[in-house]
Amino acid sequence: MKVPGLMDADRILRIPLLPVLAVQALHVRRNAQRLPEPIGPRKGREGHGPRLRLLIAGDSSAAGVGVDYQSQALSGQLVSRLARQYCVEWRLEATTGHTTQDTLNRLQNLDATFDVVVTALGVNDVTRLVSQRKFANLQTRLLNHLSKKLGARHVVVTAVPRMERFPALPQPLAWVLGRQSSRLDQSLQCLIKDFPGALHLPLDFPDDPTLAAADGYHPSPKAYQLWAEAVANLLRQA
């Protein structure tokens, strides 16, 4: 008989912990500081050099929640770095609360072609109780759409954030959500092997309170800076 590992322990304990988890989840939802999406352009052209068509797609983190202006968010920070070498034609398609399914639906109506796409998804799939199998299927469909319909030569797939490290989440809720986010990210790492142009980007940031926004749930300007640098470095290697 298989002995359950750490990755499965939360599934076993989820039922006896359900009353506690429900109360904690309700408390977090009621008391969470709701930060707006930053102001600023969501598409544009910047830099000089070879043409690079860039799409950033995903949830609230892709949208830049946690900062005041898009120039401080992932889009602004990444574009400013890539513009040192390229003429970057960029577009941001991201909305707070979006799951992989929501993003896939949104991009179905996008009539454009891109060289590079950066995705940031997973947190809302975890909180909406999307299963590991369904998440993998949806991400596979998304990667197919990005590479075939939108023509992306490279897709930087940002890892599902480690939710157990979110300051806004109490224990044991943080642990349970963290285990599920780890499972979804393992699925990402496996499925992108079937896509030669896909690159998995782990975000192994240090334990630094300044990397979290005021709500304890989203990245701070410093975190977005580190994220943008990691994407830029990965693309240079590719």
Side-chain angles (χ1 to χ4, degrees):
M1 182 177 68
K2 179 183 176 181
V3 178
L6 181 60
M7 292 295 295
D8 298 317
D10 64 292
R11 288 173 166 165
I12 298 172
L13 296 174
R14 194 175 299 174
I15 294 178
L17 286 174
L18 188 58
V20 175
L21 298 175
V23 170
Q24 289 185 337
L26 182 61
H27 177 79
V28 169
R29 177 166 294 186
R30 285 179 174 176
N31 295 279
Q33 183 178 357
R34 289 173 174 79
L35 301 178
E37 295 181 4
I39 61 175
R42 294 193 169 218
K43 61 181 178 178
R45 178 183 297 172
E46 185 174 336
H48 301 281
R51 184 188 188 196
L52 181 68
R53 296 164 297 180
L54 170 68
L55 171 66
I56 300 172
D59 55 23
S60 57
S61 62
V65 172
V67 298
D68 297 323
Y69 303 98
Q70 285 293 343
S71 60
Q72 302 170 296
L74 175 64
S75 62
Q77 303 243 23
L78 178 57
V79 169
S80 67
R81 283 162 175 76
L82 295 177
R84 298 167 188 169
Q85 298 173 271
Y86 302 96
C87 177
V88 184
E89 297 176 8
W90 65 277
R91 185 183 186 108
L92 175 63
E93 295 286 342
T95 299
T96 298
H98 269 197
T99 61
T100 302
Q101 180 69 74
D102 295 325
T103 300
L104 183 58
N105 293 343
R106 178 175 185 159
L107 297 182
Q108 295 285 349
N109 300 319
L110 187 60
D111 185 17
T113 303
F114 300 93
D115 302 303
V116 173
V117 179
V118 179
T119 65
L121 290 161
V123 168
N124 296 308
D125 293 274
V126 171
T127 59
R128 304 281 181 84
L129 305 180
V130 175
S131 70
Q132 188 175 1
R133 175 177 293 182
K134 183 177 181 179
F135 179 76
N137 288 337
L138 288 169
Q139 284 284 332
T140 299
R141 289 174 56 196
L142 177 60
L143 284 169
N144 271 316
H145 183 73
L146 295 175
S147 58
K148 296 178 181 178
K149 180 70 181 297
L150 301 186
R153 291 184 290 111
H154 294 294
V155 180
V156 177
V157 182
T158 305
V160 181
R162 296 172 57 187
M163 296 185 69
E164 72 273 13
R165 300 178 66 181
F166 286 13
L169 298 177
Q171 296 292 355
L173 180 63
W175 173 67
V176 171
L177 296 181
R179 291 298 90 211
Q180 181 65 0
S181 64
S182 294
R183 279 189 288 267
L184 296 194
D185 192 61
Q186 283 190 337
S187 295
L188 274 184
Q189 294 179 55
C190 290
L191 67 89
I192 65 173
K193 295 176 182 178
D194 295 328
F195 296 87
L199 306 164
H200 181 265
L201 178 66
L203 294 179
D204 295 324
F205 293 159
D207 288 319
D208 182 351
T210 65
L211 295 178
D215 64 354
Y217 202 82
H218 289 94
S220 70
K222 183 178 179 180
Y224 281 120
Q225 178 182 353
L226 294 175
W227 186 0
E229 289 176 351
V231 173
N233 289 336
L234 191 61
L235 289 174
R236 291 189 192 101
Q237 295 171 13

